[in-house]
Amino acid sequence: STIVFGDTTTNRMASTAFSNIYRVLDTALTNTDRPLMAVVANIGTTLPAGTYWVDWQLSGTLASGPWAPPVTLVGQTGKPGANAVQNDGSSWIPAMDDGSGAQQDFPFLIEGTAGGGTSGCSSVSDIPWLSLNPTAGSTAAGASTPVTVTFNSTGVAAGSYAARLCVSSNDAANPVVTVPVSFTVTDGTGDPIAEITPDSLDFTVDAGSTGTDTMVIKNVGSGTLTYSIAESDAERLNPPSFRNNPWAKYAPGALEGVVSLSRSGSGDLNRFGEPVQLLATDISQMADNTPGDEGVACNLNDGSGVSDNSWWRRFYFNEHTNVGASANVVSVTISTGSTTLPGGVPSTINLYTIPHSVTVNTIPTGQLTLIGTANFTATGSLQSITVPVTGAITDTVGKDLVVEWHTDGATGGPFYPGANASAETHPTFLSSSGCGLNQPETATAIGFPDFHLTMVVTLDDGGSEPEACD
């Protein structure tokens, strides 16, 4: 035999549905383990008069099957004149019933137009709402030709319309290919449906530069879509300190020689404040949170003030057995290092969640979700300060807690956070636009491995997380 249409690789299945028939044994007529499915395949070819074999194959996801059911006649083990064959992997063999030894037939239906031979293309006519460009041409081997199909509803009443495109060619196997066409015209009084693409915009630009992109608003419904666009505060994109920071306007390296990272300038790294006692509702990454002089900050080189600084810690709830499935933060305790800056440093505590799946010991700010914030002034030298601040974490398995202590800076002298060199379970992080650290970096990465920030987070029994954006 000669193949006149098709191949063994193209999936031509259009649909499948339950036929309301089950394959059963005559001893178990109500068994429903083996439903028969009706499978529809798209062909789209023209066959001249003759005799043909129909060959099909199916695949499934189960360990056995799918199986082709035989034609079943009541009281007979096989259909008279049955001639179905199946491929055993190397050759075609008769499809035989194992019990009776009778050859079987497989059921199938061929649907199309008889006589005309062109699947509805024997009599062509112009469709007023449909136009094509081009309508004829030639295509080289291995090439393709796009055809623009235009639908025009002008003068067409509301409703649904159908037609066919008849593609004739010198393809001996498929001289005419039929493409069904459907066209729906609405009356313009239905509901509009907005489709916005892309669903998010993400930019990274150098300081002082701009970037542009295009957002497309499409109406995929009926009627006329009216819209307006407003800006909303982007808590989920970057910390507030990154948006309001006056030092962020400087390009990286612009302040070289003006500011730099330094450790507490007291000259006595053995100075300590009062120890902090950890309570049952507290979590910390150090057993010893006594204020000390290992603090590091970005300060002005002339000693006249402190630049912007953010000191960070990321807490992993699975490491704290006193934390349940959810938690509420009620306060954060930090401390100051040795400082004589009059009036203290205006500061903010920001609370965020970050997916637990984010790489450990990193704080990519694009992954942060703001859940709480509180302002305070950091005053005194080697003093612990408890800042009331609230934030809810509903899923302590899927989310970690990130705490940021931020200052935009102050004048009057340098400033350092309280820190010591005792053991910590996870690193301290520092970021500072003034010193060119636009993302949180570990203390070790910036050259201060003994900078271990004192920080204690006090929790209660949990709660619900607030909405992110109105």
Side-chain angles (χ1 to χ4, degrees):
S1 60
T2 300
I3 297 175
V4 296
F5 173 81
D7 53 65
T8 60
T9 58
T10 304
N11 181 11
R12 301 185 184 277
M13 188 178 77
S15 64
T16 180
F18 180 41
S19 66
N20 294 316
I21 303 172
Y22 293 97
R23 186 181 181 188
V24 299
L25 296 173
D26 56 2
T27 57
L29 297 178
T30 60
N31 184 276
T32 60
D33 290 341
R34 307 176 83 177
L36 299 186
M37 308 300 292
V39 180
V40 178
N42 285 330
I43 304 300
T45 190
T46 301
L47 299 175
T51 302
Y52 298 89
W53 284 97
V54 178
D55 164 22
W56 70 89
Q57 59 188 27
L58 301 171
S59 63
T61 58
L62 299 179
S64 176
W67 302 93
V71 173
T72 302
L73 300 178
V74 177
Q76 300 186 42
T77 57
K79 171 178 169 289
N83 63 352
V85 295
Q86 59 185 0
N87 195 293
D88 65 358
S90 60
S91 62
W92 292 97
I93 60 174
M96 308 296 291
D97 179 77
D98 286 342
S100 66
Q103 189 168 3
Q104 303 295 301
D105 253 359
F106 295 135
F108 62 89
L109 293 174
I110 296 178
E111 297 179 339
T113 302
T118 55
S119 301
C121 289
S122 57
S123 177
V124 297
S125 61
D126 180 60
I127 307 299
W129 44 264
L130 190 64
S131 61
L132 310 168
N133 184 36
T135 58
S138 61
T139 304
S144 61
T145 301
V147 175
T148 301
V149 181
T150 302
F151 297 82
N152 187 353
S153 64
T154 302
V156 180
S160 297
Y161 300 85
R164 299 182 182 90
L165 298 181
C166 304
V167 183
S168 303
S169 70
N170 60 346
D171 180 347
N174 302 287
V176 178
V177 176
T178 302
V179 180
V181 175
S182 61
F183 183 41
T184 301
V185 180
T186 65
D187 59 8
T189 60
D191 294 329
I193 301 174
E195 182 180 274
I196 314 297
T197 54
D199 57 6
S200 65
L201 297 171
D202 185 12
F203 274 94
T204 299
V205 297
D206 294 332
S209 302
T210 60
T212 61
D213 201 349
T214 300
M215 180 174 68
V216 177
I217 302 174
K218 183 179 180 180
N219 181 6
V220 297
S222 302
T224 300
L225 175 70
T226 59
Y227 65 89
S228 62
I229 302 174
E231 298 174 3
S232 177
D233 198 23
E235 294 96 344
R236 291 184 178 269
L237 299 182
N238 270 322
S241 51
F242 277 58
R243 298 195 307 275
N244 304 323
N245 186 352
W247 298 82
K249 65 182 178 181
Y250 295 102
L255 298 176
E256 185 175 354
V258 178
V259 296
S260 62
L261 295 174
S262 59
R263 188 164 57 185
S264 179
S266 69
D268 181 4
L269 295 181
N270 293 317
R271 293 189 61 190
F272 296 98
E274 293 294 325
V276 175
Q277 180 180 1
L278 292 178
L279 303 177
T281 56
D282 294 337
I283 61 172
S284 180
Q285 294 179 335
M286 297 197 301
D288 181 2
N289 283 277
T290 303
D293 272 332
E294 288 286 356
V296 175
C298 180
N299 285 288
L300 275 68
N301 291 343
D302 62 4
S304 63
V306 58
S307 177
D308 71 296
N309 286 271
S310 283
W311 300 283
W312 308 75
R313 279 197 179 275
R314 176 179 172 183
F315 294 88
Y316 306 82
F317 290 115
N318 62 317
E319 299 177 0
H320 301 277
T321 57
N322 59 329
V323 178
S326 62
N328 280 332
V329 177
V330 295
S331 67
V332 173
T333 300
I334 45 81
S335 66
T336 60
S338 293
T339 180
T340 57
L341 194 150
V345 174
S347 300
T348 302
I349 293 290
N350 291 315
L351 305 177
Y352 309 92
T353 57
I354 189 171
H356 183 68
S357 58
V358 173
T359 304
V360 67
N361 293 337
T362 65
I363 305 179
T365 56
Q367 296 284 344
L368 299 178
T369 298
L370 182 68
I371 61 171
T373 187
N375 297 319
F376 71 104
T377 300
T379 59
S381 181
L382 298 171
Q383 296 290 318
S384 292
I385 303 170
T386 297
V387 182
V389 58
T390 59
I393 304 93
T394 58
D395 177 15
T396 57
V397 175
K399 297 177 182 179
D400 300 332
L401 173 68
V402 173
V403 180
E404 175 195 22
W405 172 11
H406 174 78
T407 177
D408 282 342
T411 59
F415 177 82
Y416 299 91
N420 62 55
S422 65
E424 61 181 359
T425 57
H426 291 280
T428 296
F429 294 81
L430 171 66
S431 62
S432 169
S433 296
C435 282
L437 301 175
N438 291 323
Q439 287 290 319
E441 300 283 351
T442 65
T444 298
I446 59 176
F448 298 92
D450 291 332
F451 169 32
H452 301 168
L453 181 73
T454 69
M455 182 177 287
V456 178
V457 178
T458 300
L459 307 173
D460 69 8
D461 295 331
S464 60
E465 192 168 351
E467 294 293 330
C469 180
D470 292 332

